[in-house]
Amino acid sequence: MNLEKVIFGFFIVLALTLNFGYFIGDIDNPAHHHVYELYAAIIVNLIATVLKFGDRTQIGAVHLATSLVADLQLITAAVLFAAVSGTPSEATIINHVVSLSGGALLANVISVILLMAETITLRR
Amino acid sequence: MNNITFLILRRMRAPLIAVIASFGITVAGLTFMPGIEIDGKTTYLSLFESFYIISYTATTIGFGEVPHPFSTSQRLWMTLSIYMTVIPWFYAIGKIISLFQDSGLRQAFTTSRFAREVQNLHEPFYIICGYGETASLLVSALDRKQIRTVVIENQQDRVNELELEDYQFDIPVLCADAHMPDVLIKAGVRHPMCAGVAALTDHDHVNLAVAIGVKLMNPDLMVLARADNNETAANMASFGTDHIINPYTLFGDHLAMEVHALGTYLLHEWLTGVPGNSLPSPACPPIGRWIVCGYGRFGKSVVENLQREQITTTIVEADPELTGCENCIIGSGAEARTLEEAGVRDAVGIVAGTDNDINNLSIVMTAREMNPELFVVIRKNRRYNEPLFEHFNADIRMQPSDIIAHECLAHMISPLLAQFLSMVRNQTNAWANQLISQLVGVVGENVPETWAITIDQYHAPAVYNFLSWGKSITLDTLMRDPSDRDRKLDLVPLLLLRDNRHILQPETDMPLLPGDQILLCGQPGAKDALPLTLSKYKALNYILDGTEIPDGFIWRWASGRMKARKGRKEIK
C-alpha cells in the first residue's frame, strides 16, 4: 500500500462526493443546496488538481484536464452565487449555479472512472 | 519546453496545496465567527466576503475590517489566519523564485530555447562544434558571407564571448559537450536545412566522436573535422569523413605551394578569405638552404614539403629522440651558438616551428640579427600573442587557426570552390597569375565575394524558363547589370560544372544549359544584383533585347495594339 495513492484516491473521490452532495435536490430550491458544500467541493477539487500536476503520461494529462474542467465550472458557479446571494434574483439564478455544478459533477465522474480504469489495468 | 512545464508543476505541488489548504480552512472558519450585533441580530460574514478578506490579508495588502468592524472572536480568528496564510503564501513565492534560479532548470530553459531556435532556421546552416580561435574566425567569416551557423561549445566563458560578438545574425549557441549525440540532434543534425558539421574542438577524440555521430545519424551530411594526429585522421577517413583537416600538413602544403607557385597560393588565399579584408601582400620564399627549428608535427610537414621542392633543410631540434629526428643539430635554436652551428649565415630562410610562441620569436630575432637577409617563417600558436608577432616583421606567419578556418570556408562556401581550388593546383603559375590580374582588374585589391549559382527552376526561374522555350542565353547575359545592360557587373566566372564536366574559366559567349552550376567571384554589389537577372523575367528580357516589358495587363494590351498599328503603317 502506498500512502500517496491513498491520498490521491481520497481527494478525487471526495471531490466527486461533495460535488454530488451539493448538486442533489430540487434544482430551483436554494434550501436544497448548501453553499458550504459548494465551498468544500471547490477546495477539494483544487487540491485534487494540484495533486495531478506533473504526471506526463497520457492518462495523467486527461486526469488533469477533467479536474481543470471541474474547477472552472465550480468556480464559475461560486462567482455567480457570490454575485447574487442576498439579492431578490437569488431564487432564479440558483438554477444556473446548480446546473454549473452539475457540469462539474460530470467531469468529476470521468475523473473517478479514469482512476478506476487505471487501478483495474494495474497488474502486479 | 513541455518537460519544463511539467517540472515546474511537479515542484509547485507542495506549496500550492499548502496555500489552498490554509485558505480553505481560514475562509471557512471566518464565516463561522459571530460578528458584531446590528439591530439585535448577530451578523456573519458570507463565504465571499470572507474569501475577500483572507485574500487581501494573505497577500499582505490589508484593507482593514470590512464591511463592519470585527467582533473579538472574528479578530481572534483573523490573528490565526494571518499566520496560517501569510506563511504558506511566502513559501509558495519563495519556491517559485528558487525554481527559476535552479541551475538545472535554467539549463533546461536554455537548451529548449536553443533547440527551438535551431528548429526555426529556414535557410541552410552549418553546425560548428567548439568555439575556439578557429571557430570564431570561421563563424565571423560565414556571418559576413550571410551563411547561418549554430555553435556548440562546452566552456561557458567562450559562449559568453560569442554572445558579446557583433554578428549580423542571431547565432544559436549551446553550452554542452558536442560529443553527446542528443546535443548534436538538438543542434540540428537531422534538420532538413543542415548543410554540414564542422568539428573544430581542440580535442581529437571529441572531433572523432562528432564525426562518427554525424555520419551515423545523417550520412549525407558534409563533415569537416580537425585532426591533429595522423591516427585520428586515419580513423576519421575510415568511416567516410568528408574533409579531414590537419593544420600542420596543410601549412606544409601551403608553404610548398608558396615556394612552387606563388600565384596559385595567392588565388587560394584570396578566394577563401573574409570578404572586405585587404589582400595579403605576396612573399616569395627564396630557394636555397633552409633551417627548420623544431621537428614536431609542423616541422616534419614543412621539411617534407620543402624537400619536395628541391630545397635542402637543416633541422634544429631540442629533443631528437622524442621526435624521431635523425641527422639534426641539437638545441632549441634560440641561442646564437646553435644557429651558428646550423649555418645561419649562409642560409636563405628559417622556419621557427616550435609549439612555444616566445621561443619562436626568440629564434627568429636571434637569426635575423645574425643574417638580416633571412626569409623568416614563424609559427604562431596563440592568438593572444598577436601583438608580439605584429611587431616582428616576419615574411610568413603561420597560425593553425587561420589555416583551418580558410580550409573550412573553401568547403562551406560552395562545393564548387573546393573543386576549383584543387583544379587550380594542377594549372601553371602563369595561368594563376593571369587569372589574378584579371580579378584585380574587376574586383580591386580587396578580398572578393565568391559564390555559386545553379541554373534550375528554383534558383534561376527566369533563365530556366527562357532556356526551356528554346532561347539561347550566354554567360555574358548574366554578367550584365540589370539596371543598365551596357554596363558589366563586377564579376568573373571561375568554373562551370556541366554533366560532371568541369570547365575552368568558361568563355563569356558560352551558351548556358539547364542544370549548369557556375562559380563566380566578384564585388558584393554584383552578388546582390545577379539574383534579379536570374529570377525576374522582366530584367532578363531587358538585358537580352533592350526592351522593357510593360507592366500590367492594360499596358501590355496597349503596347501590343501600338506595335500592330506601326506594323500596318509600314506595310502601307
Side-chain angles (χ1 to χ4, degrees), chain A residues 4 8 35-39 42-44 46-47 49-57 61 64 78 82-83 85, chain B residues 2-3 6-7 9-10 12-14 16-17 20-21 23-29 31-32 45-48 51:
Chain A
E4 202 184 326
F8 188 70
V35 67
Y36 277 91
E37 218 160 356
L38 178 62
Y39 175 74
I42 290 176
I43 295 293
V44 171
L46 282 175
I47 291 176
T49 313
V50 174
L51 284 177
K52 288 168 179 176
F53 277 176
D55 189 350
R56 283 204 286 173
T57 57
L64 184 59
S85 69
Chain B
N2 231 347
N3 293 355
F6 279 114
L7 192 72
L9 287 178
R10 215 185 165 83
M12 284 307 293
R13 244 161 36 174
L16 281 180
I17 288 180
I20 294 170
F23 265 62
I25 296 164
T26 50
V27 170
T31 59
F32 296 129
L45 288 167
S46 75
L47 269 173
F48 171 65
F51 176 69

Side-chain angles (χ1 to χ4, degrees), chain B residues 352 360-361 364 376-380 389 392 394 396-398:
Chain B
N360 287 345
L361 283 167
V364 293
V376 171
V377 177
I378 189 163
R379 170 177 167 187
K380 201 161 58 164
F389 285 92
F392 184 82
I396 299 176
R397 278 182 257 166
M398 179 276 178

